[in-house]
């Protein structure tokens, strides 16, 4: 028996054709009434019905036990072969099959099962059950309000709760996420506190899929984008470790304590090298160290966050930003509030620290380039989030309002270039859409009642994970408008960034011009002084904050003067010219008076 089915017909030709015809109604059964049955019918009279004067209410309680699920894998190999037959050898398999096919029991079983299977195959081929009937119909998109809903909550399984300090998504789809747990309050950790971090399955919040057991609590944890089995972690004691999930919960290798950071390793980043094994890390000890996980005995390169490359003057760092398209450049957010742009391959030590961006008055906790516009980057620190352009170092081009609570983390949407997210100490998550609104966030979510510390958006832009102070990681699903790019969105964001950059350049140029004028006045007043004594203007410190106010006053005074010179509709232009001539004549007289006085003297 051989079943061959070739798909050569159209969908409309499948199955038997249905032919419909019209015909008059037909009477098949006619049941006449039975009088004898009617005589046996007895009507119930009287009828008793219970009536209550109060409203009827019911109450039901249901209490179900919490059910824990577990996933286990098995290794499946092809079975059914005798011990003396190797299934990988083609000749042995062919010889054995020919022998079995001659057996009458085998032939009978195949014939019996074949008819059932043939019926099922023909039934499936009769009609396409997966055909989409309305795929050509365009559905009108409805602009819904921005929203988000909680999908799952992953809680720290230990009794003593720790902060969820860092989150990393599984690189091959939104199926897993790795969460690092650590108590960052200095010397407040109990000896009984667990040091484990976990990998969670998105669909199973009851039990972590895998436990990672470091030698010191993990401050950060990152999946390798080129190998989803490998994770890189930065420990509280400054060591760098990496795990291979195929080799168990223990770290495969650790950096030596004497070669590691002297403070907690707050950030680790994978470098998109050919081998996929290179990475670098930073800490509040002021060092940036490069590593190769194949040999973690010592760092492959080192950089101090100081212009002169002096370790004792280096600024401590909380965050790193690295763009794969610029392999030698990276950015660091420091605890002093500045952002440092660095070049790893610079020839001189002074060139390694390329630029400083100063705008925050507190530590910079998050730093990320816009995925669509790498020249612009987002920084989160103190009570404000700022958007910068690499072309302007003096100030940011855009910034959020000053929040009443401290900001802890932030990141861009990987899909929409105009959307970014911010977490705060009051447990709220803010979603900003700078095309829709620039003064206030588009969406504010109260995720929990404790401070949020970490945030990470999945690559598809639909899922957001936020980690809190008590070790709870909340998984949120955004509404479609927040992860679907509009047709003209890139052009609008480009125009916005260019406009704001141009505006800041004009303001900075004006600011420099005012400073030069003030400096010239100060130097002139010093030269005129015969006694060498400073005047009150010299003694007062030069306040740069008032420069903008002075420029604004000067600007409006010029406008008022121009308005006065312009003729009103009631005036005649000839009168205005006469007045102007009269003014110039008076000025000449006034200018001439001192000369006549000096001649008289």
């Amino acid at each position: 028996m051989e079943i061959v089915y070739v798909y050569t017909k159209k969908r409309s030709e499948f199955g038997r054709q249905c032919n419909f015809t019209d015909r008059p109604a037909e009477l098949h059964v006619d049941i006449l009434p039975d009088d004898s049955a009617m005589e046996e019918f007895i009507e119930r009279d009287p009828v008793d019905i219970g009536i209550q004067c109060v409203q009827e209410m019911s109450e039901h309680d249901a209490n179900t036990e919490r059910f824990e699920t577990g996933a286990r894998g098995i290794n499946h190999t092809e079975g059914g072969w005798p011990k003396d037959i190797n299934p990988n050898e083609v000749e042995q398999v062919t010889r054995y099959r020919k022998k079995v096919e001659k057996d009458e029991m085998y032939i009978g079983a195949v014939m019996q099962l074949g008819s059932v299977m043939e019926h099922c195959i023909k039934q499936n081929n009769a009609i396409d059950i997966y055909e989409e009937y309305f795929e050509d119909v365009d559905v009108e998109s409805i602009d819904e309000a921005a929203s988000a809903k909680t999908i799952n909550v992953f809680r720290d399984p230990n009794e003593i709760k720790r902060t969820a300090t860092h989150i990393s998504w599984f690189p091959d789809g939104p199926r897993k996420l790795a969460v690092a747990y650590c108590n960052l309050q200095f010397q407040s950790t109990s000896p009984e506190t667990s040091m484990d971090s976990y990998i969670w399955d998105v669909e199973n919040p009851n039990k972590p899929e895998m436990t990672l057991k470091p030698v010191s609590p993990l401050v950060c944890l990152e999946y390798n984008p080129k190998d989803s089995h490998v994770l890189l972690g930065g420990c509280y004691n400054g060591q760098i470790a990496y795990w291979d999930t195929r080799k168990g919960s223990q770290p495969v290798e650790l950096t030596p304590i004497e070669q590691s950071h002297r403070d907690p390793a707050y950030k680790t980043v994978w470098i998109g090298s050919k081998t996929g094994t290179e990475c670098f890390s930073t800490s509040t000890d002021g060092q940036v160290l490069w590593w190769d996980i194949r040999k973690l005995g010592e760092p492959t390169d080192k950089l101090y966050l100081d212009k002169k490359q002096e370790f004792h003057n280096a600024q401590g760092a909380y965050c790193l930003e690295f763009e794969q398209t610029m392999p030698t450049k990276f950015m660091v957010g420091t605890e002093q509030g500045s952002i440092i742009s660095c070049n790893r391959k610079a020839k001189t030590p002074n060139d390694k620290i390329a630029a400083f961006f100063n705008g925050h008055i507190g530590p910079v906790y998050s730093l990320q380039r816009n995925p669509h516009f790498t020249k612009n980057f987002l920084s989160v620190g103190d009570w404000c989030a700022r958007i910068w352009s690499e072309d302007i170092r003096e100030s940011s081009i855009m910034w959020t309002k000053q929040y009443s609570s401290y900001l802890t983390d932030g990141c861009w949407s990987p899909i929409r270039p105009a959307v970014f997210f911010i977490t705060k100490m009051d447990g709220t998550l803010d979603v900003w859409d700078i095309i829709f609104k620039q003064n206030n966030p588009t969406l504010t979510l109260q995720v929990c009642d404790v401070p949020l510390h970490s945030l990470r958006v999945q690559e598809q832009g639909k899922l957001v994970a936020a980690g809190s102070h008590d070790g709870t990681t909340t998984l949120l699903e955004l509404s479609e408008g927040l992860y679907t790019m509009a047709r003209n969105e890139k052009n609008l964001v480009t125009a916005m960034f260019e406009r704001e950059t141009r505006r800041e350049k004009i303001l900075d140029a004006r600011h420099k011009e005012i400073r030069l004028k003030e400096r010239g006045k100060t130097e002139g007043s010093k030269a005129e002084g015969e006694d060498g004594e400073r005047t009150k203007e010299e003694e007062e410190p030069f306040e740069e904050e008032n420069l903008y106010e002075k420029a604004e006053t000067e600007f409006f005074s010029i406008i008022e003067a121009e308005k006065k010179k312009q003729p009103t509709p009631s005036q005649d232009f000839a009168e205005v010219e006469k007045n102007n001539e009269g003014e110039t004549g008076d000025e000449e007289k006034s200018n001439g008076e001192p000369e006549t006085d000096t001649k008289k003297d």
Side-chain angles (χ1 to χ4, degrees):
M1 179 189 65
E2 184 177 0
I3 300 174
V4 178
Y5 195 89
V6 182
Y7 292 88
T8 56
K9 294 182 180 180
K10 293 183 180 179
R11 162 67 186 86
S12 58
E13 297 176 0
F14 275 86
R16 182 181 296 175
Q17 185 179 3
C18 297
N19 297 320
F20 299 95
T21 56
D22 293 332
R23 64 180 184 181
E26 297 178 3
L27 181 63
H28 293 284
V29 179
D30 186 10
I31 302 175
L32 298 174
D34 188 1
D35 296 334
S36 61
M38 188 64 187
E39 293 175 356
E40 295 178 358
F41 178 77
I42 300 174
E43 185 177 356
R44 185 177 178 185
D45 185 27
V47 179
D48 295 332
I49 301 175
I51 299 175
Q52 293 287 341
C53 296
V54 295
Q55 185 179 2
E56 293 185 4
M57 300 180 66
S58 62
E59 184 177 349
H60 299 279
D61 292 332
N63 189 12
T64 58
E65 295 182 1
R66 189 164 184 170
F67 181 72
E68 293 187 2
T69 59
R72 297 181 182 179
I74 60 170
N75 293 326
H76 174 72
T77 57
E78 188 175 0
W81 299 97
K83 293 181 179 179
D84 56 340
I85 301 296
N86 185 4
N88 297 323
E89 292 290 337
V90 181
E91 294 182 1
Q92 294 184 21
V93 171
T94 306
R95 198 181 307 118
Y96 181 73
R97 277 180 176 165
K98 287 181 179 180
K99 178 184 175 182
V100 172
E101 287 171 0
K102 294 178 182 178
D103 190 1
E104 293 181 1
M105 294 283 292
Y106 173 78
I107 296 171
V110 170
M111 291 299 291
Q112 183 181 356
L113 295 173
S115 59
V116 180
M117 184 178 67
E118 185 179 7
H119 169 73
C120 295
I121 292 173
K122 288 181 177 179
Q123 192 177 39
N124 290 338
N125 290 332
I127 188 170
D128 183 11
I129 63 173
Y130 299 108
E131 181 184 4
E132 184 64 52
Y133 293 98
F134 305 103
E135 60 182 359
D136 298 332
V137 180
D138 294 331
V139 180
E140 294 182 1
S141 59
I142 301 172
D143 294 335
E144 58 177 347
S147 62
K149 60 180 180 180
T150 303
I151 298 177
N152 258 332
V153 177
F154 308 96
R155 292 182 174 84
D156 185 3
N158 298 286
E159 292 183 5
I160 303 176
K161 305 301 179 184
R162 305 156 296 159
T163 304
T165 54
H166 199 269
I167 300 169
S168 180
W169 280 96
F170 189 65
D172 298 336
R175 294 186 289 116
K176 304 176 189 176
L177 64 149
V179 184
Y181 296 89
C182 178
N183 186 358
L184 294 177
Q185 295 179 352
F186 182 64
Q187 290 187 346
S188 65
T189 305
S190 169
E192 299 175 358
T193 305
S194 173
M195 294 191 295
D196 298 344
S197 292
Y198 304 102
I199 298 173
W200 295 89
D201 187 341
V202 169
E203 297 179 355
N204 183 17
N206 298 323
K207 187 178 180 181
E209 184 181 273
M210 186 174 181
T211 303
L212 305 178
K213 295 184 174 297
V215 294
S216 177
L218 289 178
V219 183
C220 60
L221 188 62
E222 285 287 349
Y223 268 109
N224 188 340
K226 289 193 174 183
D227 188 353
S228 58
H229 298 287
V230 178
L231 295 100
L232 181 72
C235 299
Y236 189 74
N237 64 354
Q239 287 181 286
I240 306 298
Y242 88 93
W243 282 262
D244 191 331
T245 55
R246 295 164 294 190
K247 298 181 180 179
S249 300
Q250 299 297 331
V252 179
E253 195 171 350
L254 276 164
T255 59
I257 194 74
E258 62 273 7
Q259 296 287 345
S260 305
H261 292 283
R262 304 184 184 185
D263 283 353
Y266 281 99
K267 187 67 176 177
T268 55
V269 176
W270 289 98
I271 299 175
S273 59
K274 293 181 180 179
T275 59
T277 59
E278 296 180 21
C279 57
F280 67 113
S281 60
T282 192
S283 170
T284 48
D285 63 353
Q287 295 184 98
V288 181
L289 303 178
W290 281 264
W291 308 91
D292 192 327
I293 62 171
R294 295 174 296 183
K295 186 182 178 183
L296 288 177
E298 60 180 358
T300 57
D301 200 357
K302 184 182 294 186
L303 175 69
Y304 297 131
L305 296 176
D306 177 61
K307 195 72 177 173
K308 297 180 181 179
Q309 291 299 297
E310 295 177 354
F311 179 65
H312 61 278
N313 288 330
Q315 297 187 35
Y318 273 116
C319 56
L320 279 172
E321 208 297 320
F322 177 72
E323 174 60 37
Q324 303 289 350
T325 57
M326 297 180 282
T328 61
K329 294 183 179 181
F330 64 96
M331 303 181 81
V332 180
T334 67
E335 57 184 345
Q336 281 80 10
S338 60
I339 300 162
I340 305 176
S341 177
C342 307
N343 189 353
R344 179 187 176 188
K345 297 297 183 182
K347 295 180 180 179
T348 61
N350 290 335
D351 295 337
K352 289 186 176 181
I353 306 296
F356 284 85
F357 299 86
N358 296 313
H360 290 283
I361 56 176
V364 180
Y365 287 118
S366 179
L367 194 63
Q368 187 188 9
R369 291 184 186 270
N370 192 308
H372 303 271
F373 306 99
T374 54
K375 189 180 285 187
N376 301 98
F377 57 92
L378 172 75
S379 66
V380 175
D382 53 69
W383 294 270
C384 181
R386 296 178 178 270
I387 299 174
W388 302 77
S389 172
E390 282 190 340
D391 298 336
I392 299 178
R393 300 178 184 178
E394 285 76 14
S395 62
S396 55
I397 61 172
M398 298 177 72
W399 52 88
T400 64
K401 62 180 182 179
Q402 289 288 326
Y403 282 101
S404 58
S405 56
Y406 211 77
L407 306 188
T408 55
D409 203 354
C411 64
W412 289 100
S413 167
I415 303 298
R416 289 196 55 195
V419 174
F420 62 91
F421 306 85
I422 295 172
T423 55
K424 297 181 289 180
M425 290 287 282
D426 60 358
T428 57
L429 167 68
D430 279 1
V431 184
W432 285 77
D433 187 345
I434 55 178
I435 288 181
F436 180 65
K437 248 195 281 189
Q438 296 183 11
N439 298 327
N440 291 300
T442 306
L443 178 63
T444 299
L445 298 169
Q446 185 70 42
V447 179
C448 57
D449 297 329
V450 295
L452 292 174
H453 275 274
S454 54
L455 175 73
R456 187 60 72 91
V457 185
Q458 210 271 332
E459 285 183 0
Q460 298 173 4
K462 186 177 181 180
L463 300 177
V464 179
S468 67
H469 182 71
D470 61 358
T472 301
T473 303
T474 306
L475 186 61
L476 302 166
E477 183 180 354
L478 303 175
S479 59
E480 189 176 355
L482 293 175
Y483 64 86
T484 304
M485 190 189 299
R487 291 180 182 177
N488 205 26
E489 183 169 347
K490 273 194 174 182
N491 296 331
L492 290 173
V493 176
T494 303
M496 184 184 297
F497 285 164
E498 288 179 354
R499 183 190 70 227
E500 297 299 326
T501 304
R502 196 162 51 247
R503 182 179 67 85
E504 287 298 325
K505 282 183 179 178
I506 294 170
L507 286 174
D508 288 335
R510 183 63 179 157
H511 191 187
K512 288 177 182 177
E513 184 182 339
I514 294 171
R515 279 192 292 184
L516 286 173
K517 284 184 180 179
E518 292 290 337
R519 194 178 298 167
K521 288 180 182 179
T522 309
E523 290 176 357
S525 61
K526 283 182 181 179
E528 289 176 3
E530 296 177 359
D531 309 349
E533 296 179 358
R534 293 185 177 180
T535 61
K536 291 182 179 179
E537 293 179 359
E538 290 174 338
E539 289 176 356
E540 291 179 359
F542 177 66
E543 298 180 358
E544 292 187 0
E545 296 176 359
N546 298 328
L547 293 179
Y548 287 109
E549 295 179 6
K550 289 181 181 179
E552 189 177 355
T553 308
E554 185 181 339
F555 175 72
F556 283 115
S557 63
I558 293 170
I559 291 176
E560 290 296 329
E562 291 293 331
K563 282 183 179 178
K564 289 178 181 177
K565 288 182 181 180
Q566 291 178 359
T568 58
S570 61
Q571 283 182 319
D572 189 15
F573 284 100
E575 294 178 4
V576 177
E577 288 178 0
K578 286 180 182 180
N579 293 336
N580 290 339
E581 289 176 2
E583 289 176 1
T584 52
D586 294 339
E587 288 176 1
E588 290 175 358
K589 288 179 182 179
S590 62
N591 292 334
E593 283 177 0
E595 294 179 1
T596 54
D597 290 342
T598 51
K599 285 178 182 177
K600 285 179 182 179
D601 292 337

